[in-house]
C-alpha cells in the first residue's frame, strides 16, 4: 500500500490529524496497536481550550460538542476557609468547555468512518523504516497478515511508549518526576460545583471536576507509591469533604465507579522532526494534568502540522522546516504553566513553602494582572 502520510497512533491526535489532512485532500492511513474499543474507552482529559473548541467546530466536528459540552467561564481557586472564582470570560473574553477526551475520540472515529479513511487497529510489531529517505511502516494486522505502507511522511502520534520517538537518534530529553500523584475517582453523582475547584489544603491538593451533569470526577494528592486498596469509598469521601470543604457548601456523594493512581511528571523530547518523521502529542511531550494542557497541546501540534504538511504538498516547505521549533515554543510555555499550577497547589516541602504557596494564591485572586496571566494560559494561547 502507498499513501501520502502514515500516522502511527489512532488516539485523538492521530485521528484529528487524519481528519484535517483529509479536508485538504491529503491521503493518510492510521496504524494503531490497540483495539478501536480500547482507544475509544480511554478516560483522559476533560477540559477543552477555547482554541480547541473553535478548531473542532471549523473542522465539522462540533455538532455533539455544542449540545453536550459544558461551557465554563472560569475556575475556583481555594484554600482553607476561602474560595474565589477566577472568571476567564470577564478577564480575557474566552472560556473553556468540559467535554471528555472519550467524547472527542468518538466524534473523530465517526468522522473517519463516514469519510472512509483507512485505519488498522490491533497492529502488532509496528516498525518505522528509512525515515530520512523514503519512509515506510511495517506491521502485522489483526488477521495476522504482514503489511507494509510506503509514504512521503510518517507522523508519530503514538504516545510515550510508541516506536516513533525511538526512531529519532539521540533526542535531547528533559524530564521531571513530581514527588506526589493523584488518586483519581469517577462517581455517579451530580457535580456539587458549577465549575472546577482547585483546592490547596494542608493535607494535600484536591480537585472537583465533572464529566457530565450526572457524573463527577475528583482527585486527591497522594504518594506516588500509594496503595489504592487502602482507600475505601468512605475514606475517599471523607478526604474530599475535608479538603474541598468551605463554610456553607456541601459535597454530594454517590457510588464510586472507578479509582486509579495517576503519576505526575513532565517530559519534553527534541527535536520533533527527523527527516520525514514528525512527532506530535505525547510522543514528544507530557505535562502533569493540573493545567489541563495534555490533550490541548496535542491538538495544537496537529493543527500546526496539518497546515505545514498541506503547504509542503503544494511546494512550500517553510512551515515543515520550522515545525519543531514552532511547536516547542508552545510546548515549553504549556510545560511552564503546568509546572506553575502544580507547584502552587500541591502540598510539598515545609511550612515555609506552604506560606509561599498561599501568598501566590492570594496574589492570583486579588491581582487582575495575575488573574489574567492564569486565564490566558488556562483558556489557551491562540492556535
Amino acid at each position: 500500500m502507498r499513501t501520502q502520510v502514515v500516522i502511527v497512533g489512532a488516539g485523538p491526535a492521530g485521528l484529528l490529524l487524519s481528519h484535517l489532512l483529509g479536508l485538504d485532500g491529503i491521503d493518510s492511513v492510521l496504524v494503531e496497536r490497540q483495539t478501536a474499543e480500547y482507544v475509544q474507552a480511554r478516560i483522559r482529559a476533560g477540559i477543552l481550550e477555547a482554541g480547541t473548541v473553535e478548531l473542532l467546530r471549523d473542522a465539522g466536528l462540533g455538532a455533539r460538542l455544542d449540545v453536550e459540552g459544558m461551557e465554563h467561564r472560569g475556575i475556583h481557586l481555594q484554600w482553607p476557609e476561602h474560595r474565589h472564582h477566577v472568571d476567564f470570560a470577564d478577564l480575557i473574553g474566552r472560556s473553556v468547555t468540559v467535554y471528555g477526551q472519550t467524547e472527542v475520540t468518538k466524534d473523530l472515529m465517526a468522522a473517519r468512518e463516514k469519510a472512509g479513511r483507512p485505519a488498522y487497529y490491533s497492529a502488532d510489531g509496528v516498525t518505522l523504516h528509512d525515515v530520512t529517505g523514503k519512509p515506510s511502516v511495517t506491521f502485522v494486522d489483526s488477521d495476522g497478515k504482514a503489511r507494509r505502507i510506503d509514504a512521503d511522511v510518517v507522523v508519530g502520534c503514538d504516545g510515550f511508549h510508541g516506536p516513533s520517538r525511538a526512531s529519532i537518534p539521540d533526542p535531547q530529553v528533559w524530564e521531571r518526576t513530581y514527588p506526589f500523584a493523584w488518586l483519581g475517582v469517577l462517581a455517579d453523582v451530580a457535580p456539587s460545583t458549577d465549575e472546577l475547584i482547585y483546592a490547596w489544603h494542608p493535607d494535600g491538593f484536591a480537585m472537583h471536576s465533572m464529566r457530565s451533569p450526572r457524573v463527577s470526577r475528583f482527585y486527591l494528592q497522594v504518594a506516588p507509591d500509594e496503595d489504592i486498596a487502602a482507600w475505601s469509598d468512605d475514606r475517599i469521601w471523607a478526604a474530599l469533604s475535608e479538603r474541598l470543604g468551605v463554610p456553607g457548601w456541601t459535597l454530594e456523594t454517590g457510588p464510586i465507579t472507578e479509582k486509579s493512581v495517576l503519576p505526575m511528571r513532565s517530559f519534553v523530547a527534541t527535536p520533533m522532526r527527523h527527516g520525514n518523521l514528525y512527532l506530535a502529542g505525547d510522543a514528544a511531550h507530557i505535562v502533569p494534568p493540573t493545567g489541563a494542557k495534555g490533550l490541548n497541546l496535542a491538538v495544537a501540534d496537529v493543527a500546526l502540522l496539518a497546515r505545514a504538511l498541506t503547504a509542503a504538498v503544494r511546494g512550500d516547505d517553510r512551515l515543515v522546516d520550522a515545525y519543531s521549533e514552532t511547536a516547542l515554543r508552545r510546548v515549553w510555555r504549556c510545560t511552564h504553566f503546568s509546572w506553575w499550577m502544580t507547584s502552587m497547589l500541591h502540598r510539598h516541602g515545609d511550612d515555609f513553602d506552604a506560606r509561599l504557596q498561599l501568598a501566590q494564591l492570594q496574589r492570583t485572586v486579588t491581582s487582575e494582572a495575575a488573574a489574567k496571566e492564569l486565564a490566558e494560559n488556562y483558556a489557551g494561547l491562540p492556535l
Side-chain angles (χ1 to χ4, degrees), residues 126 181 213 284:
V126 178

Side-chain angles (χ1 to χ4, degrees), residues 14-85:
L15 287 163
L16 179 59
L17 178 60
S18 178
H19 183 81
L20 295 175
L21 292 173
L23 293 178
D24 284 319
I26 298 175
D27 294 331
S28 63
V29 176
L30 288 152
V31 179
E32 167 62 50
R33 69 183 181 91
Q34 301 287 0
T35 66
E37 293 76 17
Y38 178 91
V39 172
Q40 184 170 297
R42 279 186 296 208
I43 303 294
R44 292 291 189 271
I47 305 296
L48 303 184
E49 295 176 356
T52 297
V53 172
E54 182 179 0
L55 175 67
L56 293 174
R57 286 173 176 158
D58 289 346
L61 299 164
R64 206 162 61 91
L65 166 63
D66 286 338
V67 174
E68 300 182 20
M70 297 180 287
E71 184 178 3
H72 285 191
R73 293 178 59 92
I75 60 173
H76 298 283
L77 287 181
Q78 179 179 312
W79 60 96
E81 307 296 322
H82 299 272
R83 181 180 294 172
H84 298 267
H85 186 242

